[in-house]
């Protein structure tokens, strides 16, 4: 926790200021600030961008405070790792190997925190903890009940994270929409929390929807009123309401929401529809959100958005554009590839080049004429056999026509299969995931994976370091001797085929320290043919785009 001082002599009298420079003229002696809490809930509809709103608030307060985000999800899976990306969007992987909700991607990208899997609390995890406690005898003699036993487990978990991380400010985002049965226990815990931490240390933010119905041309507050009523029935009285709307909220609607929902007029904030999510912190600042939070929580952590605004400006006003084909099988739901899309946005922020993504469904792919009009090809991660032969066909054309290619995880595996079949002449080469009887299993299951039958949390997960080969393109892109990226896979380039691949010209530009695992490959002599067993998109940041994406876009531009 930082050193805090209480301001005594300027406009912010009485607020906690975290700083290393003590100025007796305007400050009192160091003070231990109690941890503050911001609880974010959502109403009316799902998909309004609660995660982005929470992450943007985090961005605005992170200059001086240590902020830790917690996300509560009402489903009974222990984590989203076993869910189809169609159901839940991308599974985000953390350094520690946690498979978590994609909102953690927003938190990491917006306020530079490296998250831990413990910070994603699902109802599946909660019930697991309660059941273990019951079996251990922690509740001997008692009837185990939703209140207080389940709600206590939720609150204890949150307070434990807060202590472990010495957080100045803890964000708790409650998934779903108020009124959903599956989130009731989380909301009840959040209601109780104000007694535990003190009303002055907790702030409730509610995100709702302000529609402008066709033909009415007027912003409507009724859905917000009803959603706030649902929240109040649960004993939660919001301090701040963010109204998602296609326009800035008018003075009139802010006053109306303020009157009906019992929040201060200045605490009704526009959550504007934007082209680019990175504009949201800028809008929130413009709407006066930081001041409201400072006032309500008695803190002072002013944002500095200068650099951020420059980058956002580059995204909004690109100088040129390229088209990149994304060849996958979850292409109907863009959320399945959220981090890849953001990695490209980060490149745009630095290169000023708009990147149009052309979504190519590779199941039953016959027509490859789209390749005539694109500047580069990405083959992202994936599981199972469907669509893989289409992707292999596309990779072959990319290699033969010298079109920039970036392969991510499955993308590396398929590039190796293509090279084995068509350059090394290993007919029928494949991954044992796609064809268990292949004569040339160039991609095979990791030996340590062979005995595992459980599917949840058992892949090779989390951050691993690779040693980068001197003189390789990958090494020059990272600019370091080693690179640490996050993984999520069961299969690997088969060590028995390493030599035939390298003898035919494939360069292993990064391997595990013992050389057994191939983490990066490249084909020299081509404009850009690079693939990795990892998911570098997970660590890309607005301030520092992932090196492999940056290199790829630069190659597409040339
Ligand atoms: N299905 C492959 C594996 O398990 C690739 C996984 C991925 O792309 N994330 O190894």
């Amino acid at each position: 926790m930082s050193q805090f001082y209480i301001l005594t002599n300027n406009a912010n009298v009485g607020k906690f200021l975290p700083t290393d420079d003590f100025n007796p003229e305007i400050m009192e002696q160091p003070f231990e600030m109690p941890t503050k809490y911001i609880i974010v809930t959502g109403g009316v509809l799902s998909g309004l961008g609660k995660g982005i709103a929470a992450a943007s608030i985090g961005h605005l307060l992170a200059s001086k405070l240590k902020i830790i985000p917690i996300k509560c999800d009402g489903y009974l899976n222990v984590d989203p790792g076993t869910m189809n990306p169609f159901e839940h969007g991308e599974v985000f992987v953390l350094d520690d190997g946690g498979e978590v909700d994609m909102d953690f991607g927003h938190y990491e990208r917006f306020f530079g925190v490296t998250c831990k899997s413990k910070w994603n609390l699902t109802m599946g995890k909660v019930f697991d903890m309660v059941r273990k406690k019951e079996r251990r005898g922690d509740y001997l003699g008692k009837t185990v009940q939703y209140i207080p036993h389940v709600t206590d487990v939720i609150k204890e978990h949150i307070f434990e994270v807060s202590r472990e991380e010495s957080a100045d400010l803890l964000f708790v985002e409650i998934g779903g929409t108020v009124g959903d049965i599956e989130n009731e226990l989380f909301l009840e815990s959040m209601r109780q929390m104000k007694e535990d931490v003190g009303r002055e240390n907790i702030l409730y933010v509610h995100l709702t929807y302000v529609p402008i119905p066709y033909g009415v041309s007027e912003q409507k507050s009724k859905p917000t009123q009803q959603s706030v009523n649902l929240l109040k029935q649960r004993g939660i009285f919001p301090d701040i309401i963010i109204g998602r709307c296609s326009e800035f909220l008018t003075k009139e609607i802010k006053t109306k929401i303020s009157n009906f929902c019992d929040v201060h007029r200045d605490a009704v904030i526009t959550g504007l529809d934007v082209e680019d999510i990175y504009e949201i912190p800028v809008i929130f600042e413009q709407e006066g959100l930081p001041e409201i939070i400072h006032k309500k929580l008695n803190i002072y952590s002013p944002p500095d958005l200068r650099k951020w605004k420059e980058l956002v400006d580059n995204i909004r006003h690109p100088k040129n554009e390229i088209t990149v084909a994304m060849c996958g099988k979850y292409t109907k739901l863009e959320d399945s590839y959220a981090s890849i899309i953001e990695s490209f946005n980060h490149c745009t922020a630095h290169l000023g080049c708009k990147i149009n993504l052309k979504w190519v469904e590779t199941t039953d792919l016959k027509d490859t004429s789209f390749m005539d009009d694109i500047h580069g090809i990405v083959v992202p991660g994936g599981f199972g056999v469907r669509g893989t032969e289409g992707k292999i066909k596309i990779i072959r054309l990319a290699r033969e026509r010298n079109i920039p290619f970036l392969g991510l995880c499955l993308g590396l595996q398929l590039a190796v299969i293509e090279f084995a079949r068509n350059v090394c002449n290993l007919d029928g080469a494949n991954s044992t995931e796609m064809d268990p009887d292949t004569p040339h299993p160039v991609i095979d299951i990791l030996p340590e994976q062979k005995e595992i039958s459980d599917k949840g949390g058992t892949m090779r997960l989390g951050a691993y370091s690779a040693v980068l080969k001197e003189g390789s393109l990958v090494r020059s892109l990272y600019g370091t001797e080693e690179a640490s990226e996050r993984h999520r896979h069961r299969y690997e380039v088969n060590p028995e085929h390493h030599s035939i691949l390298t003898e035919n010209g494939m360069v292993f530009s990064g391997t595990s320290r013992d050389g057994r695992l191939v983490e990066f490959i490249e084909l020299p002599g081509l404009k850009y043919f690079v693939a990795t067993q990892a998911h570098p998109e997970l660590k890309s940041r607005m301030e520092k785009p992932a090196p492999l994406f940056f290199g790829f876009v630069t190659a597409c531009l040339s």
Side-chain angles (χ1 to χ4, degrees), residues 116-253:
K116 298 185 184 162
S117 65
K118 190 170 178 179
W119 306 353
N120 195 181
L121 188 57
T122 65
M123 216 26 104
K125 275 189 197 170
V126 172
F127 284 153
D128 212 27
M129 289 190 265
V130 172
R131 199 194 60 86
K132 282 199 184 104
K133 279 165 90 81
E134 189 274 334
R135 289 293 86 184
R136 209 165 49 213
D138 291 9
Y139 305 121
L140 269 191
K142 294 256 173 2
T143 309
V144 183
Q145 293 181 307
Y146 287 134
I147 303 172
H149 302 107
V150 176
T151 48
D152 276 355
V153 162
I154 294 171
K155 288 191 297 173
E156 274 160 26
H157 187 88
I158 291 173
F159 293 140
E160 193 173 287
V161 170
S162 168
R163 278 193 304 275
E164 281 171 6
E165 304 298 335
S166 306
D168 297 327
L169 177 59
L170 215 100
F171 261 86
V172 187
E173 183 195 337
I174 309 296
T177 309
V178 56
D180 296 346
I181 283 188
E182 57 180 23
N183 292 305
E184 296 289 7
L185 291 167
F186 285 128
L187 287 175
E188 166 60 14
S189 311
M190 296 307 108
R191 180 194 69 78
Q192 293 176 13
M193 244 167 75
K194 63 179 179 293
E195 285 304 317
D196 301 312
V197 305
R199 188 63 180 96
E200 67 285 10
N201 296 319
I202 194 164
L203 187 79
Y204 296 96
V205 178
H206 190 55
L207 175 69
T208 71
Y209 181 49
V210 178
I212 305 175
Y214 180 75
V216 179
S217 311
E218 194 191 339
Q219 300 177 0
K220 289 293 188 185
S221 67
K222 192 72 77 194
T224 300
Q225 295 177 38
Q226 289 176 337
S227 156
V228 170
N229 278 340
L230 284 178
L231 201 60
K232 286 182 176 169
Q233 282 165 19
R234 286 154 183 81
I236 295 178
F237 297 80
D239 300 285
I240 295 175
I241 292 175
I242 302 178
R244 170 82 186 258
C245 188
S246 56
E247 298 172 348
F248 276 98
L249 299 184
T250 58
K251 271 200 190 112
E252 293 71 33
I253 197 92

Side-chain angles (χ1 to χ4, degrees), residues 72-108:
C72 298
D73 283 305
Y75 50 75
L76 294 178
N77 303 60
V78 168
D79 61 42
T82 51
M83 287 186 225
N84 187 320
F86 276 133
E87 295 256 331
H88 192 68
E90 173 186 72
V91 176
F92 197 76
V93 181
L94 302 173
D95 271 358
D96 69 7
E99 296 176 285
V100 294
D101 185 79
M102 58 186 283
D103 278 343
F104 283 89
H106 301 312
Y107 305 147
E108 291 202 342

Side-chain angles (χ1 to χ4, degrees), residues 92 94 104-110 112-115 486 541:
F92 197 76
L94 302 173
F104 283 89
H106 301 312
Y107 305 147
E108 291 202 342
R109 289 187 281 263
F110 274 74
V113 56
T114 299
C115 297
R486 295 175 182 172
R541 298 280 187 275

Side-chain angles (χ1 to χ4, degrees), residues 328-330 361-365 382-392 410 413-414 417 421 429-436 491:
K329 70 171 174 188
Y330 309 117
E361 169 63 56
T362 54
T363 316
D364 303 323
L365 177 88
F383 294 84
V385 67
R386 183 163 68 81
T388 49
E389 286 304 320
K391 292 177 199 168
I392 291 172
L410 179 68
Q413 299 175 354
L414 298 179
I417 293 168
R421 286 184 193 172
N430 215 328
S431 161
T432 49
E433 181 181 8
M434 321 304 165
D435 175 8
Y491 294 80

